[in-house]
Amino acid sequence: MTTPGNNGANTPEDDDPFGYLYEDGQASGATPPRTGGGYGYPGPTVGHQQPGVPRTSYNQVRTVGERQYGQIPQQQYQGPPQQQYGQPTAQYAAPETYPGGAPPRQGPPPQQNGGGGRGPNTKGLLIGAVAVVAAVVIGIAVALASNSGDKDKKDNTANPGATTSGQPTQPSTNPSPSASAPASLPKDDAATLTLGGSAQVGTNVPGAQGTGGAFVGNFNSVGASVTWKPNVPKAGSYKLNLRFGIPGTDANATITINGKPESRPMNMKNFAHSPAGDWAKGWQSTYALVQLDKGANEIKLSCEQGNQCNANLDQVWLTPA
């Protein structure tokens, strides 16, 4: 059965919809597209084909299932095999899927810390850290000791006559002079000094440190005095020390240095808080700063107007200020 526009014996490849562009198409009567004329060729006559004029349709009646035009043979254009989810094709499979391949890698085994999943063993980590720190400290100590030993060996090699302590093994031909001992400052018993006024030597109070327990007593009257003439190696300030005894009451005396009275008296206060009236328990010491000349000096302790002189005098001595 044939229909208009769908008949004739020519196959679609014999039709040229663009024939009007070529000379042979134009010779066959092809013209540009127009109403009712297909692709530029003259319109067909209903029911028959015009001789010498290309038909306007490239469709051809075929039995159902027979037409193969436009289809691609299955055997020539087979795509890649369909992949199933979770099962890669051979060319994309992991190495362990091939025969003889490496076994699949397993994750790290769970830690056995005895805590039932409570976390890492912090006690073990702490012990390990302490061990590392101890090892580092020991290494540093060993390195320092080694460096010290190498230095001593190097010094001995450079100076064969020296020991590790730096002292020569042979005595020096020019020995250095020995350091002079500091000059001792004078110290005397009060009983050996020059006495004046009512002052006199006594031995009736125990505890005196003077030779034979002697001391200067009866000092509690105006004009009583003791005079001392010490020698000093150089001029300067010194401490004039005095050991005295009182019956639990404060006392003082005037100081005269090389004929010049000092503005401040010798303070014989009851520093030991000895009981009143007990001369034996009233022994104690005091001092005053004095300025002396180099060589001989004259120091006088006296009971003058305004002094409280109820005291015994035991010993006098000088010390550096």
Side-chain angles (χ1 to χ4, degrees), residues 130-167:
V130 172
V132 171
V133 172
V136 171
V137 172
I138 294 174
I140 293 175
V142 171
L144 292 177
S146 177
N147 291 338
S148 177
D150 294 342
K151 184 178 179 181
D152 291 340
K153 291 180 181 179
K154 188 179 297 183
D155 293 341
N156 291 340
T157 304
N159 186 10
T163 62
T164 56
S165 62
Q167 298 295 331

Side-chain angles (χ1 to χ4, degrees), residues 8 19 55 81 126-127 136 170 177 202 210 238 278 280 297:
R55 67 185 185 88
L126 179 60
I127 294 175
V136 171
Q170 298 179 356
Y238 293 86
D278 192 342
N297 291 269

Side-chain angles (χ1 to χ4, degrees), residues 51-67:
V53 179
R55 67 185 185 88
T56 60
S57 175
Y58 58 84
N59 292 325
Q60 186 175 4
V61 178
R62 292 287 189 271
T63 305
V64 177
E66 178 184 356
R67 188 179 184 87

Side-chain angles (χ1 to χ4, degrees), residues 32-251:
R34 63 185 180 275
T35 305
Y39 290 92
Y41 293 91
T45 302
V46 178
H48 67 274
Q49 178 75 24
Q50 295 181 5
V53 179
R55 67 185 185 88
T56 60
S57 175
Y58 58 84
N59 292 325
Q60 186 175 4
V61 178
R62 292 287 189 271
T63 305
V64 177
E66 178 184 356
R67 188 179 184 87
Q68 298 295 327
Y69 182 78
Q71 294 185 2
I72 301 174
Q74 181 67 23
Q75 65 274 14
Q76 297 180 3
Y77 293 95
Q78 291 184 357
Q82 183 178 5
Q83 297 183 5
Q84 298 297 327
Y85 179 76
Q87 296 182 359
T89 59
Q91 58 270 31
Y92 296 103
E96 57 267 20
T97 61
Y98 292 98
R105 301 174 64 181
Q106 300 295 329
Q111 296 184 1
Q112 301 297 330
N113 52 24
R118 291 177 294 178
N121 190 348
T122 56
K123 183 176 180 181
L125 295 177
L126 179 60
I127 294 175
V130 172
V132 171
V133 172
V136 171
V137 172
I138 294 174
I140 293 175
V142 171
L144 292 177
S146 177
N147 291 338
S148 177
D150 294 342
K151 184 178 179 181
D152 291 340
K153 291 180 181 179
K154 188 179 297 183
D155 293 341
N156 291 340
T157 304
N159 186 10
T163 62
T164 56
S165 62
Q167 298 295 331
T169 57
Q170 298 179 356
S172 174
T173 56
N174 297 317
S176 59
S178 59
S180 58
S184 59
L185 296 176
K187 178 179 181 180
D188 288 300
D189 296 339
T192 63
L193 305 182
T194 301
L195 305 182
S198 61
Q200 60 182 10
V201 176
T203 58
N204 58 334
V205 178
Q209 295 181 359
T211 303
F215 60 90
V216 173
N218 202 19
F219 194 70
N220 191 17
S221 60
V222 176
S225 65
V226 293
T227 303
W228 185 36
K229 296 181 179 181
N231 285 280
V232 294
K234 60 181 181 179
S237 180
Y238 293 86
K239 285 184 179 180
L240 174 61
N241 299 276
L242 172 67
R243 188 170 190 270
F244 65 95
I246 53 176
T249 57
D250 297 339

Side-chain angles (χ1 to χ4, degrees), residues 245-250 270 272-284 310:
I246 53 176
T249 57
D250 297 339
N270 186 15
H273 304 288
S274 58
D278 192 342
W279 287 89
K281 294 182 179 180
W283 295 108
Q284 46 201 300
N310 192 21

